[in-house]
Amino acid sequence: MEWDYDVIIVGGGGAGLAAALMAHKEGASCMIIEADGKLGGATAQSGGVFYACGTSVQRAAGIANDTPDDLYDYLMTLNRWKLRPDIIRYYADNCGAALEWLIELGSEFPKEWLVKSGVDTVPRGHSSQGAGSGIADALINAAGARGIDTALGTRVEALLFEDGRVVGVRAMGTELRAPTVIVTTGGFGNNPEMLQRLYPSACHGEWTWAVHKDVPFVLGDGITLAEKIGAGVVGLDTGLVLATSGFSKSLEAFLPPWIIAVNKEGRRFMSELSPYSVCGYLLNEQTDRRAWAIFDEQALVEASANTRYLDPYNAGISIPTWEEPTLREQVKKGRVKVADSLVALAAQVGIDGLALEQTVARYNTDCDAGGDFQFFKKAPAYFPIRKGPFYAVEIRAAIIGLTAAGLDIDRHARVLDGHQRPIPGLYAAGEVLGCFHGERYGGGGLSIGNAVVLGRLAGSEAGKAALAARKAEEVAA
Ligand SMILES: Cc1cc2nc3c(=O)[nH]c(=O)nc-3n(C[C@H](O)[C@H](O)[C@H](O)COP(=O)(O)OP(=O)(O)OC[C@H]3O[C@@H](n4cnc5c(N)ncnc54)[C@H](O)[C@@H]3O)c2cc1C
C-alpha cells in the first residue's frame, strides 16, 4: 500500500505534539494536522500545572520520597478504585520521567511554585513558568527542530477505515494515508450538544461555558470521528466543573474565604476554600444543583479587597468578581440580593431562613473563637456575618474545566471498540479520552499530565507499530 506518512496525528495540542515527538524518535515519519491556525491547543492556553511525583523539582524543594506507589494509591483511593488500574499505574510510573523530558525540552518548573493541587498530602502540582505556553512552546520548538511536518488550519473530517483498520484521514476533501493515526483532538467543552449527551450534569443553561472558549476546535471531533468507525465511549458524565457567580465568563476557580456557602436547606456543606477538585462536585450535589454565598456589609467592605486566594497555582488569574465595585454593580442588576435580615434574605432567594440563621449563628461563634470548627476552613481572617445589610450571591458549578468522557484505550494507547477490542491502526491520548480521570479529578495538573504522559505513550506505540507494519509489507512484497 502507498503511505504518505508512518503516523498521522490529528490535533496539535500537548498530546499531539508529545505523540509526534515520540513517534519521530522511533524513526517514524509524522504529520500533525491541526484545525486551528496555530499549534498548542488548550495546552497552550492552560494554567500550565503538571501533576507528577518523584521529580527533580520536588527533590530541590526538599520532597525526597514521593513515589509512584504513593501517587497510584492516592488516585485509586480518591476514585474508590473505579479507575483503570493499568492506565493509572502507567501514569504513576511515567509522569516523573515525562516532566524531566519537558524540562530537557526547555520548560521550567520553579521549585517555589510546587503546589498541593489535589486533596493529597504531597505537593505534586508543578506550575510552569509562562503557564501553559511554557509547556506548549517547548513542545512546538522541539517538533520544529525535528522537522516534523504540520498542516495548520486543516480540520480532519473523517478517519479512513478499510478492511477493518484505520489507514489515514480525510481533511478538507484530501486523503492522507498512514498505517497508524493518533487522535489527540482534546475535549468537547465548546460543543453544547455533546455536553448534553456526554456531560449532562455540567449543563446549567446560560451559566455553562468552558475554559476552552478561546480554543475554537475543542468540539469533540476525535470522539465523533472514532465513534463513526465503532469506537466505544466511556466515562459518561465525568469531568471537572468549577464554581462561578455567573457574573461574567471569567475563570473563577476559587471562592473567596470571607463568604459562607449555604444550600437551599440553609446549611453549609463544605469549606469554602475547598480545592476545585472538591468544590464543584459538592456544589452540583446540592438541591437544585446550586448554593448561595452569604456575607454582610463589613465583609464586603473590608475583606473583598484581598484577592490573594484567587491564584494559588500562580497561573496569572486575576479577576474582580468578588471585589466591592463588581458586587455593588451586581446588586443594581439584581444578581446580588440584599436584605436587612437573614430571614428576609433567605426568603428572597428561596432558602430555609430559620436554618440560615442557625448556620450563621454557629459560624459567628466559631469566628469569635478564631476558626471554623465545622468545616475547618483555613481562612487568613474570619468574618462573622452579624450586621446587615446582608448579601446573597447564587453560585453554581457551571464552568467546565475539562471533559472526561471520551475514547477508551488499552495499555498501549490503542483505541478500543464497543467490545473492548483494539481498532487496528488507531491510537489516542489526552482530553479526548474517557478512561483516565474517573468521577473525581485528582488534582490540578492531571489533564496536562494525561496529554503529555499518554501522548508520549501513544506516539511510541504508534511509531513502532507503523514501522513494523511497513516492514511486514516489504517482506510480503
Ligand atoms: C484556561 C485553561 C486552564 C487549564 N489549566 C490546566 C492546568 O493548569 N493543568 C492541567 O492539567 N490542565 C489544565 N487545563 C486542561 C488542559 O489544558 C487540557 O485538558 C489539556 O491541555 C488537553 O490537551 P490535549 O492535547 O488533549 O488537547 P488540546 O491541547 O486542546 O489540543 C487539541 C488540539 O486538537 C485540535 N483539533 C480538534 N479537532 C480537530 C480536528 N478535527 N482536526 C484537526 N485538529 C483538531 C484543536 O484545535 C487543538 O489544537 C486547562 C485548560 C484551560 C483551557
Side-chain angles (χ1 to χ4, degrees):
M1 201 178 292
E2 284 291 304
W3 301 114
D4 298 298
Y5 289 92
D6 294 319
V7 183
I8 292 173
I9 297 103
V10 185
L17 288 159
L21 286 165
M22 294 309 284
H24 197 265
K25 194 173 166 202
E26 294 293 339
S29 62
C30 299
M31 159 63 97
I32 302 174
I33 306 182
E34 168 54 54
D36 206 350
K38 57 183 186 308
L39 294 170
T43 309
Q45 304 284 320
S46 76
V49 180
F50 188 111
Y51 190 88
C53 65
T55 68
S56 58
V57 182
Q58 285 180 315
R59 287 192 292 279
I63 302 158
N65 55 357
D66 187 25
T67 66
D69 283 350
D70 294 337
L71 185 148
Y72 174 83
D73 286 343
Y74 161 67
L75 288 179
M76 295 302 288
T77 305
L78 183 74
N79 269 283
R80 295 180 291 155
W81 286 74
K82 292 193 283 181
L83 285 177
R84 280 274 302 280
D86 54 347
I87 295 199
I88 299 303
R89 187 73 242 178
Y90 183 84
Y91 186 90
D93 289 341
N94 291 280
C95 57
L99 187 104
E100 303 302 339
W101 178 70
L102 286 176
I103 293 171
E104 276 167 34
L105 296 184
S107 299
E108 291 177 53
F109 299 92
K111 69 178 192 310
E112 299 76 18
W113 288 6
L114 255 183
V115 288
K116 267 193 244 174
S117 57
V119 287
D120 40 6
T121 51
V122 187
R124 295 186 177 126
H126 294 66
S127 306
S128 158
Q129 184 99 49
S133 55
I135 294 174
D137 287 351
L139 293 168
I140 292 167
N141 291 340
R146 278 186 169 266
I148 292 173
D149 283 352
T150 52
L152 301 181
T154 308
R155 186 175 180 184
V156 170
E157 61 217 16
L159 297 171
L160 304 181
F161 191 60
E162 294 171 4
D163 302 325
R165 61 183 288 207
V166 172
V167 293
V169 302
R170 192 177 66 243
M172 301 167 88
T174 300
E175 291 189 353
L176 264 190
R177 301 178 82 82
T180 60
V181 172
I182 310 177
V183 175
T184 48
T185 51
F188 55 89
N190 296 329
N191 184 334
E193 291 80 33
M194 218 169 201
L195 285 170
Q196 282 291 350
R197 179 164 74 93
L198 301 179
Y199 197 6
S201 70
C203 297
H204 288 262
E206 285 180 358
W207 284 66
T208 300
W209 61 279
V211 295
H212 313 71
K213 66 180 165 49
D214 299 325
V215 193
F217 294 98
V218 173
L219 296 168
D221 279 5
I223 299 172
T224 314
L225 298 178
E227 272 186 306
K228 282 190 182 143
I229 59 157
V233 170
V234 295
L236 292 185
D237 213 20
T238 61
L240 173 70
V241 277
L242 309 172
T244 175
S245 61
F247 295 164
S248 68
K249 294 204 175 354
S250 308
L251 182 54
E252 308 166 58
F254 300 92
L255 294 170
W258 43 270
I259 58 141
I260 59 166
V262 301
N263 57 20
K264 192 176 170 67
E265 291 74 29
R267 298 192 182 134
R268 288 177 77 205
F269 53 91
M270 64 177 180
S271 157
E272 291 75 11
L273 288 185
S274 300
Y276 60 60
S277 49
V278 172
C279 178
Y281 298 107
L282 285 176
L283 249 175
N284 245 349
E285 282 169 14
Q286 304 310 306
T287 307
D288 299 335
R289 297 190 295 149
R290 67 195 66 176
W292 287 266
I294 308 286
F295 50 94
D296 71 3
E297 183 70 18
Q298 190 190 356
L300 175 58
V301 174
E302 290 182 19
S304 70
N306 182 353
T307 57
R308 261 171 296 167
Y309 68 90
L310 270 175
D311 192 16
Y313 305 159
N314 303 300
I317 296 171
S318 166
I319 47 157
T321 302
W322 296 94
E323 290 179 30
E324 188 178 353
T326 310
L327 290 165
R328 299 243 183 254
E329 192 189 315
Q330 293 296 331
V331 169
K332 285 189 207 139
K333 290 184 177 166
R335 289 294 299 269
V336 176
K337 306 293 182 196
V338 198
D340 288 333
S341 75
L342 286 169
V343 171
L345 187 71
Q348 274 196 57
V349 296
I351 63 181
D352 182 330
L354 294 178
L356 178 64
E357 278 191 323
Q358 188 61 30
T359 298
V360 168
R362 176 171 183 181
Y363 184 68
N364 288 351
T365 306
D366 281 4
C367 289
D368 291 344
D372 166 14
F373 304 107
Q374 190 178 12
F375 289 97
F376 303 99
K377 170 168 69 177
K378 289 199 179 80
Y382 294 91
F383 285 82
I385 302 165
R386 194 156 273 147
K387 198 159 175 291
F390 299 101
Y391 297 86
V393 180
E394 185 176 335
I395 47 176
R396 300 198 200 183
I399 302 177
I400 292 169
L402 64 99
T403 54
L407 303 179
D408 201 4
I409 53 168
D410 69 6
R411 163 66 182 72
H412 303 284
R414 296 180 299 185
V415 175
L416 301 176
D417 70 10
H419 307 283
Q420 296 283 295
R421 299 170 303 183
I423 298 175
L426 190 62
Y427 296 75
E431 201 178 329
V432 75
L433 298 181
C435 56
F436 182 72
H437 289 296
E439 290 171 3
R440 288 285 180 278
Y441 189 53
L446 273 165
S447 205
I448 291 178
N450 162 14
V452 176
V453 175
L454 297 184
R456 276 165 52 91
L457 171 69
S460 292
E461 295 281 346
K464 281 185 207 144
L467 295 177
R470 279 215 191 220
K471 198 163 185 187
E473 280 177 7
E474 279 165 24
V475 170

